[in-house]
Amino acid sequence: MLKFISNSLCRNKKRFILLLIGITIFSGVLIYLFGIKQGNTDVTGDLLPQKEQSSTIIEELTEEIIPLDEKNSASGISPGAIAVYNIDLALDEQDVFQISAEIDVTNESQDSWTDIGFYFIPNALTDANKPDFMEDGAETAISGITSDGEEIPFELVDNRLLLKLDAELKPDEMKKVKIDYTLKLPENGNRLSQVDDNYYLAQWYPMLGHYSDGWNIENYDSKGESYHTSYGSYEIDYQLPTEYLVASSATDGEIAPTASGTLAGDNIKDFYLALMDPDDWHTAASSVTNTALRVYIPSAGMDFTADMMAVTEDAFAFFEERIADHPAEELDVIANDGGMEYPNIIEVNSNPDDFEHTLIHEIAHQWFYYLVANDPYTDSWLDESITEWVASMYMVEEGYQDPFAFAARIAQTRPTAHLINLPLNEFEKGDYYSTIYGKTPLLLQEYFEANGGSDAAFDFLSAYVEQFRFDYVDTEKFAEFFVEQHGEDSREFLNSWLDLEKE
């Protein structure tokens, strides 16, 4: 930190000296004026004390030369772009979705843009692009992209959709774009999937990327999450050919079949939507504090909704008590064997004898991935490793047998990377899992066992979420905050498994 401050002062040396001279002169004038006004009983009550007033003025003046991110080392990372989504979605009798997405994109960067970048993951799952393990591909076609009725040229490669602008979009300006396309989900696909008469829409719409010296949109990588999206506001109108159970990232309300409706929500990273055949599901509803809980379990098997709900209630309440209150009005749990997290909704195992670990892990993601966000392509450990660690600590507290057994077992299945904050494409597939879900949770647990135990661990996590709620972090931000909380001696621990010298 001292080196950081020193560098900052050197960069602004001349301005800083001039500023000090100006402050000295100005402070003298203030003292003089204050001495005059002190004798005037009509205005004394409106004045700040001299020390407080001088400090306030100095802070206002120094704002000019100290950037916000340099003043607060633990501030989050700007996404550079934000979006408001208004989407019309209609499903026809041939299982094809007709989708029209109107998106208001605001430039929050310091650059003027000549293009706008989206993830369009359905294109990465077509027959031409899909991962080898997928038997069936998605079918999608963009029929038009417009703004104010004028066509916008675009490029679509893998999951990277770039809209070419005819005029620069300057900082703080907004551009409304409309993207019309069709989508047929792959049967038994990867996250985006149709299973019988159930439709799981994950990463199904054009998702605005992050902007920092260009659009940070990587190619699709199925071994992890390769998309880094911004918090956004959503309004989605849907029309269906028959009635379905609807579960989404919005607040859906009573569990009841419907053929049309509107879904809306704010501060959502990526919007998930499930349309489910009512005959295929056992359901249950409950609540914890201010959050409604809804559970869906396949009706073809045993009805263990009560067991799943009991764990859901306990885990959610535990994380709220030990880490932070969660703002979700509703959390949906779908036992479709997806094993995946989305804002306010998760997919978990359908096996009544083996569902708890995945359920607890995915619930914990509502804090680490959703409340505190990171780029899962470059820093996947920040959500996956922390989540697995948190889930295991919960199981310790609740008396589960061998709560870290999953992490220990997977850490031994393959070699692990020495430095764990690698981008997805630099991991071998097996090494990614052994490192992120195995080695790293064990490292974190070992550190806190020697430094205050579970109380210290949860105190740190609580402070971390409070600092970065609805914000973005990277490895360097995490390390800064960790050292701030645990002292300079902790830097040696971090350097033993994190590359903190990246550009």
Side-chain angles (χ1 to χ4, degrees), residues 443-465:
L443 277 172
L444 291 166
Q445 180 65 8
E446 182 180 7
Y447 177 86
F448 278 97
E449 283 179 349
N451 292 275
S454 63
D455 286 345
F458 281 113
D459 286 347
F460 166 72
L461 292 166
S462 179
Y464 178 65
V465 171

Side-chain angles (χ1 to χ4, degrees), residues 164-455:
K164 304 295 185 177
L165 304 180
D166 59 0
E168 288 187 342
L169 188 66
K170 293 180 171 55
D172 299 322
E173 289 185 344
M174 187 271 286
K175 181 84 167 177
K176 183 186 291 290
V177 299
K178 183 182 180 186
I179 304 174
D180 297 318
Y181 64 103
T182 58
L183 174 61
K184 191 174 190 303
L185 308 189
E187 293 185 12
N188 301 301
N190 185 42
R191 300 171 186 163
L192 182 69
S193 178
Q194 178 179 350
V195 180
D196 299 325
D197 198 25
N198 300 282
Y199 306 86
Y200 306 110
L201 287 91
Q203 300 105 44
W204 53 279
Y205 59 94
M207 303 188 299
L208 185 67
H210 275 227
Y211 182 95
S212 178
D213 297 324
W215 293 100
N216 304 328
I217 300 175
E218 304 289 347
N219 285 342
Y220 182 77
D221 191 328
S222 62
K223 69 171 160 293
E225 286 80 65
S226 52
Y227 50 92
H228 186 28
T229 54
S230 304
Y231 295 105
S233 297
Y234 292 80
E235 183 170 305
I236 298 172
D237 293 317
Y238 62 90
Q239 297 287 333
L240 310 174
T242 188
E243 292 187 333
Y244 289 87
L245 298 175
V246 175
S248 77
S249 293
T251 301
D252 305 303
E254 180 185 2
I255 300 175
T258 182
S260 63
T262 299
L263 306 169
D266 298 316
N267 278 332
I268 294 175
K269 270 177 54 60
D270 51 295
F271 197 102
Y272 174 96
L273 171 61
L275 308 171
M276 297 173 285
D277 184 338
D279 294 334
D280 287 353
W281 302 92
H282 298 299
T283 64
S286 183
S287 65
V288 169
T289 56
N290 297 318
T291 301
L293 306 175
R294 312 192 316 164
V295 166
Y296 300 82
I297 289 176
S299 59
M302 171 184 171
D303 183 358
F304 62 102
T305 50
D307 294 339
M308 183 169 282
M309 183 61 81
V311 178
T312 302
E313 291 170 344
D314 193 74
F316 194 90
F318 178 91
F319 294 140
E320 282 208 304
E321 178 183 352
R322 299 300 299 273
I323 300 174
D325 287 341
H326 199 285
E329 294 183 21
E330 181 180 281
L331 176 68
D332 291 323
V333 180
I334 304 175
N336 64 351
D337 297 313
M340 187 61 191
E341 72 280 359
Y342 305 96
N344 306 322
I345 186 166
I346 58 178
E347 297 179 338
V348 301
N349 291 352
S350 64
N351 184 342
D353 299 319
D354 185 24
F355 71 89
E356 294 190 30
H357 174 261
T358 302
L359 174 63
I360 296 162
H361 177 100
E362 304 305 344
I363 291 173
H365 264 307
Q366 297 303 304
W367 281 260
F368 306 102
Y369 143 79
Y370 183 25
L371 280 194
V372 180
N374 58 279
D375 185 341
Y377 188 91
T378 59
D379 287 304
S380 60
W381 77 273
L382 281 171
D383 60 290
E384 293 298 346
S385 300
I386 291 178
T387 291
E388 182 55 33
W389 173 47
V390 167
S392 298
M393 285 199 295
Y394 164 81
M395 291 190 285
V396 169
E397 298 282 328
E398 295 299 306
Y400 281 72
Q401 185 176 0
D402 295 329
F404 280 89
F406 175 81
R409 184 173 66 252
I410 200 168
Q412 296 172 357
T413 59
R414 291 271 302 195
T416 59
H418 172 56
L419 298 174
I420 62 94
N421 55 319
L422 301 175
L424 280 179
N425 65 331
E426 293 186 21
F427 278 106
E428 294 292 334
K429 186 171 184 178
D431 297 358
Y432 168 76
Y433 298 121
S434 60
T435 301
I436 298 301
Y437 295 89
K439 171 183 174 176
T440 312
L442 296 174
L443 277 172
L444 291 166
Q445 180 65 8
E446 182 180 7
Y447 177 86
F448 278 97
E449 283 179 349
N451 292 275
S454 63
D455 286 345

Side-chain angles (χ1 to χ4, degrees), residues 64-91:
E64 296 180 9
I65 68 165
I66 304 177
L68 182 62
D69 60 347
E70 294 185 12
K71 287 196 304 176
N72 182 1
S73 63
S75 60
I77 299 168
S78 170
I82 58 172
V84 176
Y85 299 85
N86 286 274
I87 303 176
D88 292 330
L89 175 149
L91 176 64

Side-chain angles (χ1 to χ4, degrees), residues 23 26-28 30-31 48-61:
I23 290 171
F26 193 42
S27 296
L30 283 173
I31 292 168
L48 291 169
Q50 183 175 343
K51 181 177 179 181
E52 184 179 342
Q53 187 181 36
S54 298
S55 299
T56 301
I57 293 169
I58 290 171
E59 286 172 5
E60 290 174 355
L61 289 170

Side-chain angles (χ1 to χ4, degrees), residues 487-498:
E488 282 295 324
D489 289 346
S490 65
R491 195 177 297 277
E492 181 179 357
F493 164 68
L494 296 174
N495 283 330
S496 69
W497 52 282
L498 293 174

